[in-house]
Amino acid sequence: MTTVKLGHESQAIQPDRQLVAGRYRLHAPIGHGRLGDIYEGTDEGYKELGVGQHVAVQLLPEKIALDRGLFNKLKVGYTE
């Protein structure tokens, strides 16, 4: 198990076991961005079709994810 330190917080991550958002299986950590650690992963959203898309998943600190106003600003920035 890997423990991810996010500022003063920490989050336990179990690569190859944990699904993020119900569809992204995390593998190995590959870096760190301004908003959190980045993991290599697989998108299992289309697993029934035999499609396994390789992705990078960045985990946001809980204080950002739970701040609705800040989260919405980030969401808009990624969709534009």
Side-chain angles (χ1 to χ4, degrees):
M1 178 179 358
T2 302
T3 299
V4 178
K5 293 181 181 178
L6 306 169
H8 296 294
E9 307 163 20
S10 64
Q11 182 177 356
I13 301 297
Q14 297 177 338
D16 293 325
R17 294 186 184 161
Q18 181 173 350
L19 282 179
V20 174
R23 79 185 270 178
Y24 302 104
R25 178 137 348 252
L26 301 182
H27 300 297
I30 57 174
H32 183 81
R34 288 184 3 196
L35 295 175
D37 291 320
I38 303 168
Y39 286 82
E40 171 189 358
T42 306
D43 180 353
E44 296 187 356
Y46 298 102
K47 190 174 184 176
E48 66 277 2
L49 299 176
V51 177
Q53 182 77 26
H54 293 287
V55 296
V57 177
Q58 185 169 23
L59 299 179
L60 297 176
E62 187 174 356
K63 67 182 180 181
I64 292 175
L66 294 177
D67 181 329
R68 182 62 88 190
L70 182 55
F71 185 77
N72 285 337
K73 286 180 184 179
L74 289 171
K75 187 176 177 182
V76 168
Y78 278 108
T79 57
E80 290 182 349

Coordinates of all heavy atoms in Angstrom, one line a residue:
M1 N 0.8 -1.2 0.0 CA 0.0 0.0 0.0 C 0.9 1.2 0.0 O 1.9 1.3 0.6 CB -0.9 0.0 1.2 CG -1.8 1.2 1.3 SD -2.9 1.4 2.7 CE -2.8 0.0 3.7
T2 N 0.5 2.3 -0.7 CA 1.2 3.5 -0.8 C 0.4 4.5 -0.1 O -0.8 4.6 -0.2 CB 1.3 4.0 -2.3 OG1 2.0 3.0 -3.0 CG2 2.1 5.3 -2.4
T3 N 1.0 5.4 0.8 CA 0.3 6.5 1.4 C 0.7 7.7 0.7 O 1.9 8.0 0.6 CB 0.7 6.6 2.9 OG1 0.4 5.3 3.5 CG2 0.0 7.7 3.6
V4 N -0.3 8.4 0.2 CA -0.1 9.7 -0.5 C -0.2 10.8 0.5 O -1.2 11.0 1.1 CB -1.1 9.8 -1.7 CG1 -0.9 11.1 -2.4 CG2 -1.0 8.6 -2.6
K5 N 0.8 11.7 0.6 CA 0.7 12.8 1.4 C 0.3 14.0 0.6 O 0.9 14.3 -0.4 CB 2.1 13.1 2.1 CG 2.5 12.0 3.1 CD 3.8 12.3 3.7 CE 4.2 11.2 4.6 NZ 5.5 11.4 5.3
L6 N -0.8 14.6 1.0 CA -1.4 15.8 0.3 C -1.4 16.9 1.3 O -2.3 17.2 2.0 CB -2.8 15.4 -0.1 CG -3.0 14.2 -0.9 CD1 -4.4 13.8 -1.1 CD2 -2.3 14.4 -2.3
G7 N -0.3 17.7 1.3 CA -0.2 18.8 2.3 C -0.1 18.2 3.7 O 0.7 17.4 4.0
H8 N -1.1 18.6 4.5 CA -1.1 18.1 5.9 C -2.0 16.8 6.0 O -2.1 16.3 7.0 CB -1.7 19.2 6.8 CG -0.9 20.4 6.9 ND1 0.4 20.4 7.4 CD2 -1.1 21.7 6.5 CE1 0.9 21.6 7.4 NE2 0.0 22.4 6.8
E9 N -2.5 16.4 4.9 CA -3.4 15.3 4.8 C -2.6 14.1 4.3 O -1.6 14.2 3.7 CB -4.6 15.5 3.9 CG -5.4 16.8 4.2 CD -6.3 17.2 3.1 OE1 -6.6 16.3 2.3 OE2 -6.7 18.3 3.1
S10 N -3.2 12.9 4.4 CA -2.6 11.7 3.8 C -3.8 10.8 3.4 O -4.8 10.8 4.0 CB -1.6 11.0 4.7 OG -2.3 10.5 5.8
Q11 N -3.6 10.1 2.3 CA -4.6 9.2 1.8 C -3.9 7.9 1.4 O -2.9 7.9 0.7 CB -5.2 9.9 0.5 CG -6.3 9.0 -0.1 CD -7.0 9.8 -1.3 OE1 -6.6 10.9 -1.6 NE2 -7.9 9.1 -1.9
A12 N -4.5 6.8 1.9 CA -4.0 5.5 1.6 C -4.4 5.0 0.2 O -5.6 5.0 0.0 CB -4.4 4.5 2.7
I13 N -3.5 4.6 -0.6 CA -3.8 4.2 -1.9 C -3.3 2.8 -2.1 O -2.1 2.5 -1.7 CB -3.1 5.1 -3.0 CG1 -3.6 6.5 -2.9 CG2 -3.4 4.5 -4.4 CD1 -5.1 6.7 -3.1
Q14 N -4.1 1.9 -2.6 CA -3.6 0.5 -2.8 C -3.6 0.3 -4.3 O -4.7 -0.1 -4.9 CB -4.6 -0.5 -2.1 CG -4.6 -0.4 -0.6 CD -5.5 -1.3 0.1 OE1 -6.5 -1.8 -0.6 NE2 -5.3 -1.6 1.3
P15 N -2.5 0.5 -4.9 CA -2.4 0.3 -6.4 C -2.9 -1.1 -6.8 O -2.7 -2.1 -6.1 CB -0.9 0.5 -6.7 CG -0.5 1.4 -5.6 CD -1.2 1.0 -4.4
D16 N -3.5 -1.2 -8.0 CA -4.0 -2.4 -8.5 C -5.2 -3.0 -7.8 O -5.7 -4.0 -8.1 CB -2.9 -3.5 -8.7 CG -1.9 -3.1 -9.7 OD1 -2.2 -2.4 -10.7 OD2 -0.7 -3.4 -9.5
R17 N -5.7 -2.3 -6.8 CA -6.9 -2.8 -6.0 C -8.0 -1.8 -6.0 O -9.1 -2.1 -6.0 CB -6.5 -3.1 -4.6 CG -5.6 -4.3 -4.5 CD -5.4 -4.7 -3.1 NE -4.4 -5.7 -3.0 CZ -3.7 -6.0 -1.9 NH1 -3.9 -5.4 -0.8 NH2 -2.8 -7.0 -1.9
Q18 N -7.6 -0.5 -6.0 CA -8.6 0.5 -5.8 C -9.1 1.1 -7.1 O -8.3 1.4 -8.0 CB -8.0 1.7 -5.0 CG -9.0 2.8 -4.7 CD -8.4 3.8 -3.8 OE1 -7.4 3.6 -3.1 NE2 -9.1 4.9 -3.6
L19 N -10.4 1.2 -7.3 CA -11.0 1.9 -8.4 C -11.3 3.4 -8.0 O -11.9 3.6 -6.9 CB -12.3 1.3 -8.8 CG -12.2 0.0 -9.7 CD1 -13.5 -0.5 -10.0 CD2 -11.4 0.2 -10.9
V20 N -10.9 4.3 -8.8 CA -11.2 5.7 -8.5 C -12.4 6.1 -9.4 O -12.4 5.7 -10.6 CB -10.0 6.6 -8.8 CG1 -10.3 8.1 -8.7 CG2 -8.8 6.2 -7.9
A21 N -13.4 6.7 -8.9 CA -14.6 7.1 -9.6 C -15.3 5.9 -10.2 O -15.9 6.1 -11.3 CB -14.2 8.2 -10.7
G22 N -15.1 4.8 -9.6 CA -15.8 3.6 -10.1 C -15.3 3.0 -11.4 O -15.9 2.1 -12.0
R23 N -14.2 3.6 -12.0 CA -13.8 3.1 -13.3 C -12.3 3.1 -13.6 O -11.8 2.4 -14.5 CB -14.5 3.8 -14.4 CG -14.1 5.1 -14.8 CD -14.9 5.8 -15.8 NE -14.5 5.6 -17.2 CZ -15.1 6.0 -18.2 NH1 -16.2 6.8 -18.1 NH2 -14.7 5.7 -19.4
Y24 N -11.5 3.9 -12.8 CA -10.1 4.0 -13.1 C -9.3 3.2 -12.1 O -9.3 3.4 -10.9 CB -9.6 5.4 -13.0 CG -10.4 6.3 -14.0 CD1 -11.4 7.2 -13.6 CD2 -10.1 6.2 -15.4 CE1 -12.1 8.0 -14.5 CE2 -10.8 7.0 -16.3 CZ -11.8 7.9 -15.8 OH -12.5 8.7 -16.7
R25 N -8.6 2.1 -12.5 CA -7.8 1.3 -11.7 C -6.4 1.9 -11.6 O -5.7 2.0 -12.6 CB -7.7 -0.1 -12.2 CG -6.8 -1.0 -11.3 CD -7.3 -2.4 -10.9 NE -8.6 -2.7 -11.2 CZ -9.6 -2.9 -10.2 NH1 -9.2 -2.6 -9.0 NH2 -10.8 -3.3 -10.5
L26 N -5.9 2.3 -10.4 CA -4.6 2.9 -10.2 C -3.5 1.8 -10.2 O -3.7 0.7 -9.7 CB -4.6 3.6 -8.9 CG -5.6 4.8 -8.8 CD1 -5.4 5.5 -7.4 CD2 -5.5 5.7 -9.9
H27 N -2.4 2.1 -10.8 CA -1.2 1.2 -10.8 C -0.1 1.9 -10.0 O -0.2 2.0 -8.8 CB -0.8 0.8 -12.2 CG -1.9 0.1 -13.0 ND1 -2.5 -1.1 -12.6 CD2 -2.6 0.5 -14.1 CE1 -3.4 -1.4 -13.4 NE2 -3.5 -0.5 -14.4
A28 N 0.9 2.4 -10.7 CA 2.1 2.9 -10.0 C 2.0 4.5 -10.1 O 1.5 5.1 -11.0 CB 3.3 2.4 -10.7
P29 N 2.6 5.1 -9.0 CA 2.7 6.6 -9.1 C 3.7 6.9 -10.1 O 4.7 6.3 -10.3 CB 3.2 6.9 -7.7 CG 3.7 5.7 -7.1 CD 3.1 4.5 -7.8
I30 N 3.4 8.0 -10.9 CA 4.3 8.4 -12.0 C 4.8 9.9 -11.8 O 5.6 10.3 -12.6 CB 3.7 8.2 -13.4 CG1 2.4 9.0 -13.5 CG2 3.5 6.7 -13.7 CD1 1.8 8.9 -14.9
G31 N 4.2 10.6 -10.9 CA 4.7 12.0 -10.7 C 3.8 12.7 -9.7 O 2.9 12.2 -9.1
H32 N 4.1 14.0 -9.7 CA 3.3 14.9 -8.8 C 3.1 16.2 -9.5 O 4.0 16.8 -10.0 CB 4.1 15.2 -7.5 CG 3.4 16.0 -6.5 ND1 2.4 15.4 -5.7 CD2 3.4 17.3 -6.2 CE1 1.9 16.4 -4.9 NE2 2.5 17.5 -5.2
G33 N 1.8 16.7 -9.5 CA 1.5 17.9 -10.1 C 1.2 19.0 -9.0 O 1.3 18.7 -7.9
R34 N 0.8 20.1 -9.5 CA 0.5 21.2 -8.5 C -0.7 20.9 -7.6 O -0.8 21.3 -6.5 CB 0.1 22.5 -9.3 CG 1.3 23.2 -9.9 CD 0.9 24.5 -10.6 NE -0.5 24.9 -10.4 CZ -1.0 25.8 -11.1 NH1 -0.4 26.4 -12.1 NH2 -2.3 26.1 -10.9
L35 N -1.6 20.0 -8.1 CA -2.8 19.7 -7.3 C -2.8 18.3 -6.7 O -3.8 17.9 -6.0 CB -4.0 19.9 -8.1 CG -4.3 21.3 -8.6 CD1 -5.5 21.3 -9.5 CD2 -4.5 22.2 -7.4
G36 N -1.7 17.5 -6.8 CA -1.7 16.2 -6.2 C -0.9 15.2 -7.0 O -0.3 15.5 -8.0
D37 N -0.8 14.0 -6.5 CA 0.0 13.0 -7.1 C -0.7 12.4 -8.3 O -1.9 12.4 -8.4 CB 0.2 11.8 -6.1 CG 1.2 12.3 -5.0 OD1 2.2 13.0 -5.3 OD2 0.9 11.9 -3.8
I38 N 0.1 11.9 -9.2 CA -0.4 11.4 -10.5 C 0.0 9.9 -10.6 O 1.1 9.5 -10.3 CB 0.2 12.2 -11.7 CG1 -0.1 13.7 -11.5 CG2 -0.3 11.6 -13.0 CD1 0.7 14.6 -12.5
Y39 N -1.0 9.1 -11.0 CA -0.8 7.7 -11.1 C -1.0 7.2 -12.5 O -1.9 7.7 -13.2 CB -1.8 6.9 -10.2 CG -1.4 7.0 -8.7 CD1 -1.8 8.2 -8.0 CD2 -0.8 6.0 -8.1 CE1 -1.4 8.3 -6.7 CE2 -0.4 6.1 -6.7 CZ -0.8 7.2 -6.0 OH -0.4 7.3 -4.7
E40 N -0.3 6.2 -12.9 CA -0.6 5.4 -14.1 C -1.8 4.6 -13.8 O -2.0 4.1 -12.7 CB 0.6 4.5 -14.4 CG 0.3 3.5 -15.5 CD 1.4 2.5 -15.7 OE1 2.4 2.5 -14.9 OE2 1.2 1.6 -16.5
G41 N -2.7 4.5 -14.7 CA -3.9 3.7 -14.5 C -4.5 3.1 -15.7 O -4.0 3.3 -16.8
T42 N -5.6 2.4 -15.6 CA -6.4 1.8 -16.6 C -7.8 2.2 -16.5 O -8.4 2.1 -15.4 CB -6.3 0.3 -16.6 OG1 -4.9 -0.1 -16.6 CG2 -7.0 -0.3 -17.8
D43 N -8.4 2.7 -17.6 CA -9.8 3.0 -17.6 C -10.6 1.7 -17.8 O -10.6 1.2 -18.9 CB -10.1 4.1 -18.7 CG -11.6 4.5 -18.8 OD1 -12.4 3.9 -18.1 OD2 -11.9 5.4 -19.5
E44 N -11.3 1.3 -16.8 CA -12.1 0.0 -16.9 C -13.6 0.3 -17.3 O -14.4 -0.6 -17.1 CB -11.9 -0.8 -15.6 CG -10.5 -1.2 -15.4 CD -10.4 -2.2 -14.3 OE1 -11.3 -2.4 -13.6 OE2 -9.2 -2.6 -14.0
G45 N -13.9 1.5 -17.7 CA -15.3 1.8 -18.0 C -15.9 1.0 -19.1 O -17.1 0.9 -19.2
Y46 N -15.0 0.5 -20.0 CA -15.5 -0.3 -21.1 C -14.9 -1.7 -21.1 O -14.7 -2.4 -22.1 CB -15.1 0.3 -22.5 CG -15.7 1.7 -22.6 CD1 -15.0 2.9 -22.4 CD2 -17.1 1.8 -23.0 CE1 -15.6 4.1 -22.5 CE2 -17.7 3.1 -23.1 CZ -16.9 4.2 -22.9 OH -17.5 5.4 -23.0
K47 N -14.7 -2.2 -19.9 CA -14.1 -3.5 -19.6 C -14.9 -4.6 -20.3 O -14.3 -5.6 -20.8 CB -13.9 -3.8 -18.1 CG -13.1 -5.0 -17.8 CD -12.9 -5.1 -16.3 CE -12.0 -6.2 -15.9 NZ -11.8 -6.3 -14.5
E48 N -16.2 -4.5 -20.3 CA -17.0 -5.6 -20.9 C -16.8 -5.7 -22.4 O -17.1 -6.7 -23.0 CB -18.5 -5.3 -20.6 CG -19.1 -4.1 -21.2 CD -18.9 -2.8 -20.4 OE1 -18.2 -2.8 -19.4 OE2 -19.3 -1.7 -20.9
L49 N -16.3 -4.6 -23.0 CA -15.9 -4.7 -24.5 C -14.5 -5.2 -24.7 O -14.1 -5.3 -25.9 CB -16.1 -3.3 -25.1 CG -17.5 -2.7 -25.0 CD1 -17.6 -1.3 -25.6 CD2 -18.5 -3.6 -25.8
G50 N -13.8 -5.4 -23.7 CA -12.4 -5.9 -23.8 C -11.4 -4.7 -24.1 O -10.4 -4.9 -24.7
V51 N -11.9 -3.5 -23.8 CA -11.0 -2.3 -24.1 C -10.4 -1.8 -22.8 O -11.2 -1.6 -21.9 CB -11.9 -1.2 -24.7 CG1 -11.1 0.0 -25.0 CG2 -12.5 -1.7 -26.0
G52 N -9.1 -1.7 -22.7 CA -8.5 -1.2 -21.6 C -7.6 0.0 -21.9 O -6.6 -0.1 -22.5
Q53 N -8.1 1.2 -21.7 CA -7.4 2.4 -22.1 C -6.5 2.8 -21.0 O -6.8 2.9 -19.8 CB -8.5 3.5 -22.2 CG -8.0 4.8 -22.7 CD -7.6 4.9 -24.1 OE1 -8.1 4.1 -24.9 NE2 -6.7 5.7 -24.5
H54 N -5.2 3.1 -21.3 CA -4.2 3.6 -20.4 C -4.4 5.0 -20.1 O -4.6 5.8 -21.1 CB -2.8 3.3 -20.9 CG -2.5 1.8 -20.9 ND1 -2.2 1.1 -19.8 CD2 -2.3 1.0 -22.0 CE1 -2.0 -0.2 -20.2 NE2 -2.1 -0.2 -21.5
V55 N -4.4 5.4 -18.9 CA -4.7 6.8 -18.5 C -3.7 7.3 -17.4 O -3.1 6.5 -16.8 CB -6.1 7.0 -18.0 CG1 -7.1 6.7 -19.1 CG2 -6.4 6.2 -16.8
A56 N -3.6 8.6 -17.2 CA -3.0 9.2 -16.0 C -4.1 9.8 -15.2 O -5.0 10.4 -15.7 CB -2.0 10.2 -16.5
V57 N -4.0 9.5 -13.9 CA -5.1 10.0 -13.0 C -4.4 10.8 -11.9 O -3.5 10.4 -11.2 CB -5.8 8.8 -12.3 CG1 -6.8 9.3 -11.3 CG2 -6.4 7.9 -13.3
Q58 N -4.9 12.1 -11.7 CA -4.3 12.9 -10.7 C -5.4 13.0 -9.6 O -6.5 13.2 -9.8 CB -4.1 14.3 -11.2 CG -3.5 15.2 -10.2 CD -3.0 16.6 -10.8 OE1 -3.5 17.0 -11.8 NE2 -2.0 17.2 -10.2
L59 N -4.9 12.7 -8.4 CA -5.7 12.7 -7.2 C -5.7 14.1 -6.5 O -4.6 14.5 -6.2 CB -5.3 11.6 -6.2 CG -5.4 10.2 -6.7 CD1 -4.9 9.2 -5.6 CD2 -6.7 9.8 -7.1
L60 N -6.8 14.7 -6.4 CA -6.9 16.0 -5.7 C -7.0 15.8 -4.2 O -7.6 14.9 -3.7 CB -8.2 16.7 -6.1 CG -8.3 17.1 -7.6 CD1 -9.7 17.7 -7.9 CD2 -7.2 18.0 -8.1
P61 N -6.4 16.7 -3.5 CA -6.5 16.7 -2.0 C -8.0 16.8 -1.6 O -8.8 17.5 -2.3 CB -5.7 17.9 -1.5 CG -4.8 18.2 -2.6 CD -5.5 17.8 -3.9
E62 N -8.4 16.2 -0.6 CA -9.8 16.2 -0.1 C -10.3 17.6 0.1 O -11.5 17.9 -0.3 CB -9.9 15.4 1.1 CG -11.4 15.2 1.6 CD -11.5 14.2 2.8 OE1 -10.5 13.7 3.2 OE2 -12.6 14.1 3.2
K63 N -9.5 18.5 0.6 CA -10.0 19.9 0.9 C -10.4 20.6 -0.4 O -11.3 21.4 -0.4 CB -9.0 20.7 1.7 CG -7.7 21.0 1.0 CD -6.8 21.7 1.9 CE -5.5 22.0 1.2 NZ -4.6 22.8 2.1
I64 N -9.7 20.3 -1.5 CA -10.1 20.9 -2.8 C -11.3 20.2 -3.4 O -12.2 20.8 -3.9 CB -8.9 20.8 -3.8 CG1 -7.8 21.7 -3.3 CG2 -9.4 21.2 -5.2 CD1 -6.5 21.6 -4.2
A65 N -11.4 18.9 -3.3 CA -12.5 18.1 -3.9 C -13.8 18.5 -3.2 O -14.9 18.5 -3.8 CB -12.2 16.6 -3.8
L66 N -13.7 18.8 -1.9 CA -14.9 19.1 -1.1 C -15.3 20.5 -1.1 O -16.4 20.9 -0.7 CB -14.7 18.6 0.4 CG -14.6 17.1 0.6 CD1 -14.3 16.8 2.0 CD2 -15.8 16.4 0.1
D67 N -14.5 21.4 -1.6 CA -14.8 22.8 -1.8 C -15.5 23.0 -3.1 O -14.9 23.1 -4.2 CB -13.5 23.6 -1.7 CG -13.7 25.1 -1.9 OD1 -14.7 25.6 -2.5 OD2 -12.9 25.9 -1.3
R68 N -16.8 23.0 -3.0 CA -17.7 23.0 -4.2 C -17.3 24.1 -5.2 O -17.2 23.9 -6.4 CB -19.1 23.1 -3.8 CG -20.1 23.0 -5.0 CD -20.1 21.8 -5.8 NE -20.9 20.8 -5.2 CZ -20.9 19.5 -5.5 NH1 -20.1 19.1 -6.4 NH2 -21.7 18.6 -5.0
G69 N -17.1 25.4 -4.7 CA -16.8 26.5 -5.6 C -15.4 26.3 -6.3 O -15.4 26.5 -7.5
L70 N -14.4 25.9 -5.6 CA -13.1 25.6 -6.2 C -13.1 24.5 -7.2 O -12.6 24.5 -8.3 CB -12.0 25.4 -5.1 CG -10.6 25.2 -5.6 CD1 -10.1 26.3 -6.5 CD2 -9.7 25.0 -4.4
F71 N -13.8 23.4 -6.8 CA -13.9 22.2 -7.6 C -14.6 22.6 -8.9 O -14.2 22.1 -10.0 CB -14.7 21.1 -6.9 CG -14.7 19.8 -7.7 CD1 -13.6 19.0 -7.8 CD2 -15.9 19.4 -8.4 CE1 -13.7 17.8 -8.5 CE2 -15.9 18.3 -9.1 CZ -14.8 17.5 -9.2
N72 N -15.7 23.3 -8.9 CA -16.4 23.7 -10.1 C -15.5 24.6 -11.0 O -15.6 24.4 -12.2 CB -17.7 24.5 -9.8 CG -18.8 23.6 -9.3 OD1 -18.8 22.4 -9.5 ND2 -19.7 24.1 -8.5
K73 N -14.7 25.4 -10.4 CA -13.7 26.2 -11.3 C -12.8 25.3 -12.0 O -12.5 25.5 -13.1 CB -13.0 27.2 -10.4 CG -13.8 28.4 -10.0 CD -12.9 29.3 -9.1 CE -13.8 30.4 -8.6 NZ -13.0 31.3 -7.7
L74 N -12.3 24.3 -11.3 CA -11.3 23.3 -11.9 C -12.0 22.5 -13.0 O -11.5 22.3 -14.0 CB -10.8 22.4 -10.8 CG -9.8 23.0 -9.8 CD1 -9.5 22.0 -8.7 CD2 -8.5 23.4 -10.5
K75 N -13.3 22.1 -12.7 CA -14.1 21.3 -13.7 C -14.3 22.1 -14.9 O -14.1 21.6 -16.0 CB -15.4 20.9 -13.0 CG -16.2 20.0 -13.8 CD -17.5 19.6 -13.0 CE -18.4 18.7 -13.8 NZ -19.6 18.4 -13.0
V76 N -14.6 23.4 -14.8 CA -14.8 24.2 -16.0 C -13.5 24.4 -16.8 O -13.5 24.3 -18.0 CB -15.4 25.6 -15.6 CG1 -15.3 26.6 -16.8 CG2 -16.8 25.5 -15.1
G77 N -12.4 24.5 -16.1 CA -11.1 24.7 -16.7 C -10.7 23.4 -17.5 O -10.1 23.6 -18.6
Y78 N -11.1 22.3 -17.0 CA -10.7 21.0 -17.7 C -11.6 20.7 -18.9 O -11.3 20.0 -19.8 CB -10.7 19.8 -16.8 CG -9.4 19.7 -16.0 CD1 -9.4 20.0 -14.6 CD2 -8.2 19.3 -16.6 CE1 -8.2 19.9 -13.9 CE2 -7.1 19.2 -15.9 CZ -7.1 19.5 -14.6 OH -5.9 19.4 -13.9
T79 N -12.8 21.3 -18.9 CA -13.8 21.0 -20.0 C -13.7 22.0 -21.1 O -14.4 21.7 -22.2 CB -15.2 20.9 -19.4 OG1 -15.6 22.1 -18.8 CG2 -15.4 19.7 -18.5
E80 N -13.1 23.1 -20.9 CA -13.0 24.1 -22.0 C -11.9 23.8 -23.0 O -11.0 23.2 -22.8 CB -12.8 25.5 -21.4 CG -14.1 25.9 -20.7 CD -13.9 27.3 -20.1 OE1 -12.8 27.9 -20.1 OE2 -14.9 27.9 -19.7

